[in-house]
């Protein structure tokens, strides 16, 4: 005997909660399956606790630079245990909020791991459930590479479980998570080495962002080892060693963090019983309407391998519920021009096409505007700090198709400009907007001199093609 619902969401993270709450708001009978705390990676081991640590790093840095403005401050020190306790209490409060929210919306909470029995049903701890629509929203988990000694390292999940402050750290991976953790740890007094297989940090972003960030990280004291392929980890006389395929040994770390990507959480769901196909890294392929190819089974969020951001997962979940049960049969998530921020030191913000992407798509129709300067908060101390911005434009009207910012407050600056890009703003629209002075953001509406795509980018993208 089984219990039937209009919709079952498997996964209590951002995507699963969004589709469940929207379906319930539309009057449907909904169940939510989750084996751990509600909130998913974002709340428990991602965006939220990461931002707490980033804010702490920013506060500590600000105190240490107070003297640049003739402010005498006491010596700044960090109480790691207290910070972690306050962070975990904050996260626990969000967990309680979601527990109560789900109950208040009359969503049935099913604790445990779901396994498909067929294309219409699942089993959780021996109990059977069926639904007209089943949504897989199980997210993703950090990858640990299959190299000898890999177990000597931890992942981002392990970072948030640390109860003692790391002092000498190797972060392996130069993407979002790697540069964020490296920056936080360095600002909180660790000695940090960032190890990347790629020759540029943030290789998936506009080259200006990666190059500027690498320069700032080096100026801040982070050792960068780019183009370094790790062959193994091993115990050495001074701690953990990171060994490269060329025999180079980076030695003496008390903590090594793997930040080399994430794998979709699709294993052990019994997807074969439902006929749902799984691709590389466990990704579940779906069409533009989030359909898996099996009628009634959908997938949203990080498990689909598309843009792995919390707001994207939330938007996709709400649109799916409205499409299935509401007044919007054609609603689907638009994965273009999604703004994103990397909480590095300084933060990096980006929306739209990078310069290389624009060149591949639009060729000689591309015009680029760029600026770089020392932000005011660093100017009095003569500190090595940079803000840089780039606008990527297309056509005679110079429609802006990419906006990229690195520097203090980049995370707050970009949101409004992302709206402008979605509305089709042109360079003339930016030029005609009165600047707010003195701010960093004003530079985005005062850039004067455009240029064609950089020759190195033309050559590089042509070679890649």
């Amino acid at each position: 005997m089984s219990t039937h619902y209009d919709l079952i969401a498997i996964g209590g993270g951002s995507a699963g909660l969004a589709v469940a709450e929207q379906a319930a708001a539309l009057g449907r009978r909904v169940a939510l399956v989750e084996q751990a705390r509600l909130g998913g990676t974002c709340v428990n081991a991602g965006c939220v606790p990461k931002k707490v640590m980033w804010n702490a790093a920013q506060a500590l840095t600000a105190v240490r630079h107070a003297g640049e403005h003739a402010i005498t401050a006491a010596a700044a020190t960090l109480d790691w245990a207290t910070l972690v306790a306050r962070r975990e209490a904050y996260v626990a409060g969000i967990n309680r909020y979601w527990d109560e929210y789900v109950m208040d919306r009359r969503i049935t909470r099913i604790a445990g791991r779901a396994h498909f029995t067929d294309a219409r049903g699942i089993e959780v701890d021996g109990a059977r459930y069926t639904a007209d629509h089943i949504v897989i929203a199980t997210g993703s988990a950090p990858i640990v590479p299959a190299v000898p000694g890999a177990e000597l390292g931890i992942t981002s999940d392990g970072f948030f479980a640390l109860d003692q402050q790391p002092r000498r750290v190797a972060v392996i991976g130069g993407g979002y998570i790697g540069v964020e953790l490296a920056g936080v740890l360095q600002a909180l007094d660790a000695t940090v080495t960032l190890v990347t297989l790629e020759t540029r940090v943030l290789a998936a972003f506009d080259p200006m962002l990666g190059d500027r960030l690498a320069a700032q990280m080096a100026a801040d004291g982070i050792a960068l080892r780019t183009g370094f392929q790790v062959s193994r980890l091993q115990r050495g006389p001074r701690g953990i060693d990171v060994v490269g395929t060329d025999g180079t040994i980076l030695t003496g770390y008390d903590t090594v963090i793997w930040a080399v990507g994430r794998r979709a959480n699709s294993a052990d769901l019994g997807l074969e019983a439902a006929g749902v196909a799984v691709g590389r890294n466990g990704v579940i392929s779906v069409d533009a309407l989030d359909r898996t190819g099996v009628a009634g089974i959908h997938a949203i969020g990080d498990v689909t391998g598309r843009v792995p951001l919390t707001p994207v997962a939330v938007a996709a979940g709400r649109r799916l519920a409205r499409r299935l049960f509401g007044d919007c049969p054609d609603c689907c998530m638009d994965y273009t021009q999604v703004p994103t921020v990397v909480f590095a030191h300084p933060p990096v913000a980006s929306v739209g096409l990078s310069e290389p992407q624009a060149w591949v798509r639009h060729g000689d129709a591309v015009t680029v505007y760029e600026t770089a300067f020392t932000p005011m908060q660093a100017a009095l101390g003569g500190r090595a700090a940079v803000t840089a911005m780039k606008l990527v434009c297309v056509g005679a009207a110079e429609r802006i198709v990419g906006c990229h910012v690195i520097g203090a407050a980049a995370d707050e600056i970009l949101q409004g400009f992302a709206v402008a890009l979605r509305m089709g703003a042109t360079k003339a629209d930016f030029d005609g907007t009165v600047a707010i002075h003195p701010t960093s953001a004003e530079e985005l509406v005062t850039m004067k001199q455009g240029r064609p795509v950089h020759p190195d980018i033309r050559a590089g993208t042509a070679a890649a093609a």
Side-chain angles (χ1 to χ4, degrees):
M1 185 174 179
S2 63
T3 304
H4 188 78
Y5 295 89
D6 296 312
L7 180 141
I8 295 174
I10 304 175
S14 301
L17 285 166
V19 71
E21 65 171 328
Q22 185 68 73
L26 292 168
R28 301 297 171 156
R29 191 165 186 241
V30 179
L32 179 71
V33 184
E34 174 56 61
Q35 62 182 341
R37 295 180 292 175
L38 293 183
T41 296
C42 178
V43 169
N44 297 297
C47 324
V48 172
K50 177 271 300 291
K51 189 66 181 290
V52 170
M53 302 302 283
W54 187 83
N55 283 337
Q58 294 291 95
L60 190 59
T61 300
V63 172
R64 288 176 174 165
H65 289 299
E68 297 174 5
H69 292 84
I71 297 171
T72 301
T77 58
L78 170 67
D79 183 336
W80 180 273
T82 299
L83 173 61
V84 169
R86 292 177 181 176
R87 184 194 73 205
E88 292 307 295
Y90 179 59
V91 169
I94 301 175
N95 295 145
R96 288 192 297 273
Y97 166 82
W98 280 116
D99 289 339
E100 295 168 3
Y101 187 93
V102 166
M103 185 181 302
D104 290 345
R105 297 312 186 269
R106 293 183 172 83
I107 299 168
T108 300
R109 170 84 181 274
I110 303 171
R113 179 74 170 174
H115 300 272
F116 279 89
T117 56
D118 53 41
R120 280 292 177 270
I122 61 171
E123 184 176 286
V124 183
D125 292 336
R128 293 174 61 85
Y129 307 90
T130 59
D132 297 332
H133 298 280
I134 300 176
V135 181
I136 304 167
T138 47
S140 63
I143 292 173
V144 176
V147 298
E151 70 281 358
L152 296 175
I154 61 174
T155 65
S156 54
D157 290 354
F159 168 78
F160 292 114
L162 290 171
D163 54 12
Q164 292 187 344
Q165 183 175 1
R167 294 298 180 183
R168 183 166 167 79
V169 185
V171 179
I172 303 174
Y176 265 91
I177 297 171
V179 299
E180 288 183 339
L181 293 182
V184 163
L185 286 163
Q186 186 277 331
L188 296 180
D189 283 341
T191 300
V192 179
T193 301
L194 182 66
V195 180
T196 75
L197 177 62
E198 298 79 15
T199 57
R200 170 183 281 125
V201 301
L202 296 183
F205 286 71
D206 188 273
M208 180 269 287
L209 298 175
D211 291 344
R212 294 284 186 179
L213 179 59
Q216 186 65 63
M217 294 176 86
D220 290 340
I222 295 174
L224 298 176
R225 297 301 299 258
T226 59
F228 189 105
Q229 184 170 359
V230 177
S231 65
R232 68 182 186 275
L233 304 184
Q234 64 186 25
R235 289 282 182 192
R238 297 176 52 228
I240 304 171
D241 296 341
V242 179
V243 184
T245 54
D246 63 356
T248 301
I249 300 177
L250 309 178
T251 185
Y253 301 103
D254 58 63
T255 306
V256 174
I257 303 176
W258 293 112
V260 294
R262 297 179 67 86
R263 182 185 305 277
N265 285 328
S266 59
D268 301 325
L269 288 175
L271 294 175
E272 62 280 358
V276 175
V278 177
R280 183 174 178 270
N281 280 339
V283 165
I284 298 175
S285 295
V286 293
D287 64 13
L289 299 179
D290 304 312
R291 300 175 297 196
T292 64
V294 178
I297 301 181
H298 317 265
I300 53 176
D302 291 7
V303 77
T304 66
R306 295 183 289 191
V307 183
L309 299 171
T310 292
V312 170
V314 171
R318 290 174 178 168
R319 284 165 172 76
L320 174 57
R322 289 182 62 198
R323 184 164 66 249
L324 296 178
F325 306 120
D327 57 354
C328 192
D330 298 321
C331 278
C332 62
M333 181 63 199
D334 180 2
Y335 290 93
T336 64
Q337 289 190 329
V338 173
T340 186
V341 167
V342 182
F343 285 98
H345 288 72
V348 170
S350 180
V351 61
L353 300 179
S354 66
E355 188 174 343
Q357 289 170 334
W359 166 249
V360 169
R361 189 172 302 184
H362 299 288
D364 290 331
V366 176
T367 304
V368 177
Y369 293 81
E370 201 166 0
T371 187
F373 54 93
T374 299
M376 279 190 69
Q377 56 264 55
L380 296 188
R383 180 160 35 103
V386 69
T387 294
M389 302 174 175
K390 179 187 286 190
L391 296 175
V392 181
C393 306
V394 170
E398 292 193 317
R399 179 171 60 90
I400 301 173
V401 296
C403 179
H404 312 284
V405 183
I406 179 172
D411 48 318
E412 298 291 352
I413 289 170
L414 189 70
Q415 188 71 75
F417 286 99
V419 175
L421 261 66
R422 288 195 64 83
M423 295 178 69
T426 65
K427 184 63 169 59
D429 292 322
F430 276 36
D431 292 343
T433 300
V434 175
I436 300 171
H437 182 75
T439 66
S440 291
E442 70 178 298
E443 297 290 332
L444 284 169
V445 298
T446 58
M447 294 187 203
K448 300 301 183 187
Q449 187 64 45
R451 63 165 174 80
V453 175
H454 194 281
D456 289 347
I457 288 175
R458 293 172 182 241
T461 53

